[in-house]
Amino acid sequence: MEKEIIKKLNDYKEILKDIENKLDISNKQKRLDELNKIMNSPDFWNDINATKDIINEAKSLRKIIDEYSVINDNINTLTEMIDIDIEYVESEILKLDKDIESLRVSTLLSGEFDSSSCYIEIHSGAGGTESNDWANMLYRMYIKYFEKHNYSYDEISRQEGEEVGIKGVTLLVKGYYPFGYFKGETGVHRLVRISPFDSNSRRHTSFASVLVTPQINKNLDIEINESDLRIDVYRSSGCGGQGVNTTDSAVRITHIPTGIVTSCQLERSQIQNKQRALEMLKNKLYILKLNEFNEKLKELKGNVMDVNFGSAIRSYVMCPYTLVKDTRTNYETSNVEQVLDGDIEEFLLAYLRRV
């Protein structure tokens, strides 16, 4: 038994060393030290927007570094305790398995924009009331997840459905590697249920699309011609304060050559909303230029989304049986209600692990 435990702990040391190299812990610590100096400077709070970004970056770095340090300390402590209390060591090893797996997930978040905040757009498919309600259910699902996992979000724009639900909504999400975690949600989501809007209680299939793009925090060398833009202003809907909701302050920008549409109604002034919408447009054009999400942007932009039976990345079936299944990873669960209440962690992780 003792030999097996010693071997297990030695294996953990090798695994942790590999994770340390992949995560580049030493450079992350240097960056965190730099951020701590910035946060301790007397003029740190002068720029609120920059302040939030620095705090979020520091939190993300600290989370990874702390997880690594705790696991490393635990391995060393357990190694020293083998001769003192082997039963205790054996019981603690089970916890190490879970902690190391959690840290290993962080090594999968190494993409160029994985640590960036992200925009999550939800759009209802064809079908009016049914699809609008489904889009609203997805919106609620993500909000529940954000609240459970300490992600903050701003509602950038929102278009209400005629009767219920939403036609579309755009969220700016910040926290621990937002784009890295949520990028796999991009695609068409399919719902099968007995419609609450059908007096004959028939089964309906509804579709909604989700598009996740990173917020790129650097000066983008993207040239946009004013002649390529169609800019519409309209009255804001939803929460936002009395001044927002009673003036035509919301802005929608259509980039005519690509068909990309961005909108913002978060700010009180039309000028600020236009600036935000232009920033989102630059983000999307930059990604398009890199060809990183070229095909997905073509498929999911505006009203030309390919929302049909063969295109769904995930199906949520509530009738005649209960099942949520991701078609890319084959991960599934029968607890639909729990998933719609924000329990999507395993779907996010399954997508990250698939490569």
Side-chain angles (χ1 to χ4, degrees):
M1 176 66 73
E2 183 176 326
K3 288 183 179 180
E4 291 178 2
I5 290 177
I6 292 173
K7 182 180 183 305
K8 189 76 170 175
L9 288 171
N10 286 333
D11 288 343
Y12 281 151
K13 289 179 182 179
E14 290 299 317
I15 292 171
L16 194 62
K17 187 176 181 180
D18 181 56
I19 291 175
E20 178 187 3
N21 291 332
K22 287 181 178 178
L23 291 178
D24 200 2
I25 293 294
S26 60
N27 278 331
K28 279 184 168 57
Q29 183 63 61
K30 289 179 183 177
R31 175 57 178 164
L32 181 58
D33 292 341
E34 292 174 2
L35 294 176
N36 285 332
K37 288 180 181 179
I38 294 172
M39 289 188 288
N40 289 327
S41 64
D43 57 347
F44 175 64
W45 296 99
N46 291 348
D47 186 343
I48 297 299
N49 289 328
T51 295
K52 289 180 180 178
D53 291 337
I54 290 171
I55 290 174
N56 284 331
E57 183 182 356
K59 282 182 178 178
S60 295
L61 290 172
R62 193 175 295 112
K63 182 178 185 296
I64 292 176
I65 293 169
D66 287 350
E67 283 184 3
Y68 166 80
S69 298
V70 168
I71 294 171
N72 189 48
D73 289 345
N74 286 345
I75 291 175
N76 291 332
T77 300
L78 293 176
T79 301
E80 294 171 359
M81 290 188 65
I82 288 176
D83 294 331
I84 302 172
D85 190 346
I86 194 166
E87 290 184 1
Y88 172 77
V89 173
E90 186 179 5
S91 64
E92 288 298 302
I93 278 180
L94 297 176
K95 296 178 184 177
L96 272 178
D97 275 325
K98 185 177 180 180
D99 292 341
I100 287 178
E101 179 58 27
S102 175
L103 186 61
R104 198 200 299 268
V105 169
S106 298
T107 67
L108 305 175
L109 300 170
S110 57
E112 182 180 359
F113 304 115
D114 281 356
S115 63
S116 302
S117 300
C118 67
Y119 296 103
I120 296 183
E121 300 175 42
I122 304 170
H123 298 280
S124 63
T129 299
E130 292 288 342
S131 292
N132 291 345
D133 188 51
W134 172 223
N136 194 56
M137 291 168 68
L138 284 175
Y139 168 81
R140 177 183 176 276
M141 179 183 78
Y142 290 124
I143 297 303
K144 289 282 188 181
Y145 182 85
F146 300 155
E147 292 171 348
K148 292 175 183 176
H149 293 83
N150 299 315
Y151 285 94
S152 61
Y153 65 93
D154 291 321
E155 192 172 290
I156 301 297
S157 66
R158 182 186 186 94
Q159 186 179 7
E160 302 287 351
E162 286 85 355
E163 297 178 8
V164 299
I166 54 175
K167 287 185 176 180
V169 66
T170 300
L171 304 170
L172 175 58
V173 184
K174 298 183 178 183
Y176 180 70
Y177 282 70
F179 181 67
Y181 265 97
F182 299 116
K183 61 188 177 184
E185 293 301 287
T186 291
V188 174
H189 295 243
R190 170 179 174 258
L191 172 69
V192 180
R193 64 170 176 174
I194 298 294
S195 170
F197 309 105
D198 189 331
S199 58
N200 294 317
S201 298
R202 289 173 294 191
R203 191 166 69 241
H204 285 247
T205 301
S206 305
F207 298 93
S209 70
V210 176
L211 177 61
V212 183
T213 52
Q215 183 189 39
I216 304 170
N217 293 318
K218 63 180 180 179
N219 293 324
L220 300 179
D221 185 20
I222 299 294
E223 184 177 342
I224 299 178
N225 297 320
E226 286 288 332
S227 59
D228 288 339
L229 303 180
R230 184 174 72 245
I231 301 176
D232 301 306
V233 296
Y234 58 98
R235 183 162 297 181
S236 301
S237 61
C239 299
Q242 187 175 358
V244 173
N245 291 323
T246 58
T247 60
D248 290 338
S249 59
V251 175
R252 181 185 299 111
I253 298 178
T254 304
H255 187 247
I256 298 170
T258 61
I260 293 174
V261 179
T262 61
S263 60
C264 182
Q265 63 185 49
L266 177 67
E267 309 294 349
R268 288 184 174 273
S269 80
Q270 187 181 120
I271 293 174
Q272 289 173 310
N273 282 326
K274 180 181 177 182
Q275 184 177 352
R276 281 248 194 180
L278 278 172
E279 287 173 1
M280 287 190 284
L281 177 60
K282 283 186 177 182
N283 271 282
K284 289 189 176 184
L285 291 175
Y286 181 73
I287 295 168
L288 195 63
K289 186 178 180 181
L290 291 178
N291 293 320
E292 186 173 349
F293 294 105
N294 193 12
E295 292 305 315
K296 286 184 179 178
L297 282 171
K298 284 181 181 178
E299 292 170 5
L300 297 172
K301 63 183 180 183
N303 293 323
V304 296
M305 290 181 244
D306 182 23
V307 183
N308 57 48
F309 282 85
S311 63
I313 63 161
R314 190 177 303 148
S315 292
Y316 307 70
V317 182
M318 304 179 76
C319 180
Y321 51 88
T322 57
L323 180 70
V324 183
K325 182 172 183 176
D326 195 293
T327 59
R328 303 159 302 175
T329 64
N330 288 324
Y331 180 80
E332 62 182 51
T333 176
S334 60
N335 199 331
V336 182
E337 294 295 338
Q338 192 170 315
V339 170
L340 294 176
D341 274 338
D343 189 7
I344 59 173
E345 179 83 357
E346 290 304 318
F347 286 98
L348 302 180
L349 295 179
Y351 180 81
L352 287 174
R353 292 183 184 122
R354 84 197 195 290
V355 292

